[in-house]
Amino acid sequence: MGKVIAIANQKGGVGKTTTSINLAASLVKTRRRVLLVDLDPQGNATMGSGIDKNAIELSTYEVLIGIGEIQKACVTVEGGYDVVPTNSNLAGAEVELVNLDRREVRLRLALESVRDDYDFILIDCPPSLSLLTVNAFAAAQTVMIPMQCEYFALEGLTDLIQTIRLVRQNLNPELEIEGLLRTMYDPRNNLANEVSAQLREHFGDKLYRTIIPRNVRLAEAPSFGKPVISYDMQSKGAQAYLALAGEILRREEAA
Ligand SMILES: Nc1ncnc2c1ncn2[C@@H]1O[C@H](COP(=O)(O)OP(=O)(O)OP(=O)(O)O)[C@@H](O)[C@H]1O
Ligand SMILES: [Mg+2]
């Protein structure tokens, strides 16, 4: 059965989608079967994977509302992984879900039918602690938290950790933190090094050793609808995400 990882941080622009796309492609390089679920109405993971979000037949929206089968929504992309794509229709799902029964576990129920088809299922969450994110946490075994090492970085984590705790109490007792990932890292920045040290102190081994540097290739690749390893394999960004996939797999083996 595939491992389901929610990639989440309610702070915007921290690298959730970049991590979703590039980790998916890097895991494929190691011959893992990967599904990426785009759970953000912005549809960035959809577009960044090379799918036109304005030409989707079935999306995460239909899957959550219960009018579309997840198998039929899956699209295989150039990066070698499958995507359940999304567009702004998903914003409406938030409102509609409130009136449906079992509204927090809709994604979990949908994923049950495809979990055997994949080694990893990654969920790209929106920048909020909304019902969509709660669906991701209810469906996931672990939460991966990408973050920039800025001032207030630790404060921002409090609400996220509290939400994870609530979901654990009420919906998904198995939910764990997969790891914290430092993104857009600039080692010349003293503050980044200080925050990094604080994260190590608070989270110990949960902090990945792999660090994602600021790298322009990572920012360019989505405009070509490709993961960075298809766009510039030699770039620091590509190498960093390949290293992250390696670190995750080594942890899995050790567990
Ligand atoms: N390591 C990096 N180096 C350079 N640019 C990056 C890096 N990671 C992400 N970016 C760029 O930063 C911006 C935000 O990244 P991304 O979209 O992955 O964040 P996000 O957390 O998914 O944002 P949102 O909260 O809006 O969903 C994008 O333009 C992306 O291309
Ligand atoms: Mg995003």
Side-chain angles (χ1 to χ4, degrees), residues 12-18 20 38 40 42-45 124-127:
V14 296
K16 294 180 289 294
T17 302
T18 304
S20 302
D38 189 351
D40 182 354
Q42 296 181 98
N44 294 342
D124 184 29
C125 292

Side-chain angles (χ1 to χ4, degrees), residues 9-19 40 42 44 124-127 183-185 212-220 222 241:
N9 189 330
Q10 77 279 17
K11 196 161 165 18
V14 296
K16 294 180 289 294
T17 302
T18 304
T19 299
D40 182 354
Q42 296 181 98
N44 294 342
D124 184 29
C125 292
T183 59
M184 293 179 242
Y185 198 85
I212 310 300
R214 189 170 281 284
N215 176 247
V216 68
R217 293 303 201 206
L218 283 171
E220 289 167 355
Y241 277 107

Side-chain angles (χ1 to χ4, degrees), residues 169-186:
Q169 279 165 16
N170 297 300
L171 296 165
N172 182 5
E174 316 291 321
L175 187 65
E176 280 179 39
I177 293 177
E178 172 79 26
L180 282 90
L181 177 66
R182 290 164 283 179
T183 59
M184 293 179 242
Y185 198 85
D186 178 1

Side-chain angles (χ1 to χ4, degrees), residues 19-139:
T19 299
S20 302
I21 293 171
N22 292 298
L23 179 59
S26 298
L27 287 167
V28 167
K29 273 270 172 228
T30 67
R31 300 178 174 275
R32 281 5 184 237
R33 299 164 301 165
V34 183
L35 175 65
L36 170 54
V37 179
D38 189 351
L39 198 61
D40 182 354
Q42 296 181 98
N44 294 342
T46 299
M47 297 289 278
S49 296
I51 301 170
D52 179 358
K53 67 177 174 184
N54 299 311
I56 302 169
E57 282 178 29
L58 274 181
S59 72
T60 316
Y61 169 77
E62 283 82 11
V63 170
L64 287 180
I65 294 300
I67 56 174
E69 270 179 53
I70 192 162
Q71 283 94 340
K72 292 190 181 142
C74 292
V75 180
T76 304
V77 297
E78 189 188 319
Y81 53 94
D82 289 353
V83 177
V84 182
T86 285
N87 55 30
S88 55
N89 287 345
L90 184 62
E94 289 257 54
V95 183
E96 290 176 52
L97 276 176
V98 172
N99 298 315
L100 298 176
D101 53 301
R102 314 197 71 188
R103 62 191 176 196
E104 294 98 350
V105 294
R106 293 250 154 188
L107 183 60
R108 174 158 84 200
L109 296 174
L111 287 178
E112 266 169 18
S113 60
V114 292
R115 273 189 71 179
D116 287 337
D117 302 334
Y118 300 97
D119 300 305
F120 287 93
I121 299 177
L122 307 179
I123 307 172
D124 184 29
C125 292
S128 63
L129 296 171
S130 59
L131 188 49
L132 288 173
T133 301
V134 169
N135 261 271
F137 289 177

